Amino acid sequence: MVMPTVLTDRFAPLDYPDFANNHVFLKKATKHGFYDHHDHHDRHDHHGQYGQHGVPAPGPSAKELIGDAFRDRVENIDHEYCDPGEEDTFFVADLGEVYRQHLRWKLNLPRVKPFYAVKCNGDPKLLEMLAALGTGFDCASKTEIETILRMGVDPSRIIYAQPCKTNSYVRYVANQGVRQMTFDNPDELRKIARLFPDAELYLRILTDDSSSLCRLSLKFGASLDSTDGLLALARELGLNVVGVSFHVGSGASDPQAFLKAVQDAHWVFQQAATHGYSLKTLDVGGGFCSDRTFEEMAGVLRNALDEYFPAHSGINLIAEPGRYYASAAFTLACNIIARRTIENVPGRGANNTSYMLYVNDGLYGNFSSIMFDHQHPVAKILRAGGRTLYDMPAANATAGNNGTEYSIWGPTCDGIDRITESIRFHTELDVGDWLYFEDMGAYTKCSATTFNGFSNEHEVVYVCSEPGARALLGWH
């Protein structure tokens, strides 16, 4: 078996038939948050991945690996005597999920190079995985750019996709060799002409993002009525416009938004030619979700690109996915720190006792996605009554009016700090029990605060359900 080595800056195809099985790989649990699980069955050879005759041996699934990490972390906590911090909320991150999402991207959008949106989740191991996969990076600030450059990523793999840039940041990227950046107004063009005239510029155009979770068109994007004047000004200032960019909004739900945006971008490409520009790159932005809608969205975009920017045109295609890579890779565990009984609620019949559960994370922490990203995290039971229920039927909420009703609240003193208004479980939950929430990798930890003195730094336990990802990271 050939093990992949460090990737170059090229976006080379990743075809690893030897790594198709979900072989278990978790780095050992230490203060650094790694966890290692070894399967000592006789089916393994000395590499621990293959059985007799070189046939891949079936390994634990991603869910099993995550479950092992959860059990190792929570089952030995004595809530009566543990030290402060042992009960804190924490993540389990499966880097194998990031790897699978990358292969899924290449299958559906083979011509489009992803530039990961760092603002979505700046977790260091996530970024390391993406760098090893050869992606670029969409950065919106000096700190994000510094983070990526410190990883040894070439400046050519960074786009400063922020139409409104701080003067000193523009000088900084000029010194660091990060040349690609966006603009959408005359003042920004004059700023760039003064501070970084050699920049490679993308004209960001306005799109219809009315179907998106988070709309950006109110803040960014040049209308098609203004693009001709902007291109004329850029030419007058001697600036190098190399492409067009757009963003249909974070969490887009209407595939046709991509079609219309590609059509508009094609029109601006033609417009730029009348000003003497030969544009070479189209940036189709973000808006991609990791759920089942991705294939439909990607199909519409792919067909639009093939029609308006076919392969023989020589136009480079890039994108800025964020949640697509990060969301499903992170699962969050929270401890129930307090419970309040609500009895005799009018109109609820004879068995009308419900409970308010207070957990050690909330809207001011990793559940900031509820406010800022319009998400609806769903609680599941990780551990209750001395039993770990991860990925079992008993972990899930009940349907209708079955079971006991709970509301779930964060730990701060603010009344808006509510995670779940109403949810029902057959299992009775109490102080010391644990809940978990899946799909918590996008716009969660990145916008957590320290309100009320609660930490915004939480442990991440890393697992890896794909040997291909293991090889890329050099984990043995």
Side-chain angles (χ1 to χ4, degrees), residues 178-258:
V178 177
R179 301 173 64 87
Q180 300 177 91
M181 60 179 62
T182 59
F183 74 96
D184 66 1
N185 65 80
D187 295 301
E188 198 70 10
L189 277 176
R190 296 186 182 95
K191 178 195 300 179
I192 295 168
R194 187 173 72 255
L195 302 174
F196 192 7
D198 294 329
E200 298 176 353
L201 302 180
Y202 294 73
L203 171 53
R204 177 160 172 171
I205 61 174
L206 197 64
T207 62
D208 177 9
D209 58 1
S210 57
S211 66
S212 301
L213 287 174
C214 300
R215 301 183 63 180
L216 303 173
S217 62
L218 294 176
K219 188 173 185 179
F220 299 123
S223 68
L224 296 187
D225 291 337
S226 66
T227 53
D228 187 69
L230 288 171
L231 290 165
L233 177 60
R235 174 57 71 191
E236 178 185 331
L237 295 171
L239 296 174
N240 183 22
V241 180
V242 300
V244 173
S245 74
F246 61 77
H247 200 304
V248 297
S250 185
S253 60
D254 181 9
Q256 297 306 310
F258 277 110

Side-chain angles (χ1 to χ4, degrees), residues 344-366:
N344 302 319
V345 180
R348 293 194 179 178
N351 185 17
N352 61 6
T353 298
S354 65
Y355 299 95
M356 297 173 67
L357 301 178
Y358 301 85
V359 298
N360 54 357
D361 205 343
L363 267 67
Y364 289 91
N366 294 303

Side-chain angles (χ1 to χ4, degrees), residues 343-392:
E343 296 178 331
N344 302 319
V345 180
R348 293 194 179 178
N351 185 17
N352 61 6
T353 298
S354 65
Y355 299 95
M356 297 173 67
L357 301 178
Y358 301 85
V359 298
N360 54 357
D361 205 343
L363 267 67
Y364 289 91
N366 294 303
F367 291 91
S368 58
S369 59
I370 294 174
M371 288 192 295
F372 300 140
D373 199 37
H374 309 284
Q375 297 299 301
H376 304 281
V378 178
K380 297 185 179 184
I381 301 174
L382 175 57
R383 186 168 175 80
R387 296 178 58 226
T388 300
L389 303 177
Y390 175 78
D391 200 34
M392 296 182 181

Side-chain angles (χ1 to χ4, degrees), residues 33 66 69-75 77 85-93 330-335 360-361 366 382 434-437 440 457-462:
I66 296 170
F70 274 134
R71 279 184 284 274
D72 185 78
R73 176 69 170 74
V74 305
E75 288 185 355
I77 296 176
E86 289 187 50
E87 301 165 293
D88 283 359
T89 186
F90 68 97
F91 290 92
V92 174
F330 287 73
T331 305
L332 181 69
C334 301
N335 184 243
N360 54 357
D361 205 343
N366 294 303
L382 175 57
W434 289 81
L435 301 175
Y436 70 97
F437 299 80
M440 289 294 287
E457 296 288 337
H458 298 112
E459 178 186 3
V460 181
V461 180
Y462 299 95

Side-chain angles (χ1 to χ4, degrees), residues 459-472:
E459 178 186 3
V460 181
V461 180
Y462 299 95
V463 306
C464 191
S465 58
E466 289 288 346
R470 166 193 177 181
L472 285 174

Side-chain angles (χ1 to χ4, degrees), residues 62-110:
K63 289 281 191 180
E64 290 171 324
L65 304 187
I66 296 170
D68 285 345
F70 274 134
R71 279 184 284 274
D72 185 78
R73 176 69 170 74
V74 305
E75 288 185 355
N76 296 320
I77 296 176
D78 186 331
H79 295 282
E80 297 298 324
Y81 300 101
C82 66
D83 293 330
E86 289 187 50
E87 301 165 293
D88 283 359
T89 186
F90 68 97
F91 290 92
V92 174
D94 178 14
L95 298 179
E97 175 65 19
V98 180
Y99 181 91
R100 286 189 292 275
Q101 284 295 92
H102 188 65
L103 297 184
R104 184 184 179 193
W105 180 279
K106 290 179 66 59
L107 177 65
N108 287 278
L109 292 170

Side-chain angles (χ1 to χ4, degrees), residues 291-348:
D291 60 18
R292 295 178 182 177
T293 65
F294 174 69
E295 276 69 23
E296 181 183 3
M297 301 284 282
V300 172
L301 175 59
R302 183 177 62 248
N303 292 337
L305 293 172
D306 288 345
E307 179 177 355
Y308 292 96
F309 297 91
H312 62 76
S313 67
I315 300 299
N316 299 317
L317 304 173
I318 67 175
E320 301 168 6
R323 73 176 72 247
Y324 170 82
Y325 278 105
S327 181
F330 287 73
T331 305
L332 181 69
C334 301
N335 184 243
I336 299 175
I337 60 174
R339 188 182 79 168
R340 179 182 177 186
T341 304
I342 309 297
E343 296 178 331
N344 302 319
V345 180
R348 293 194 179 178

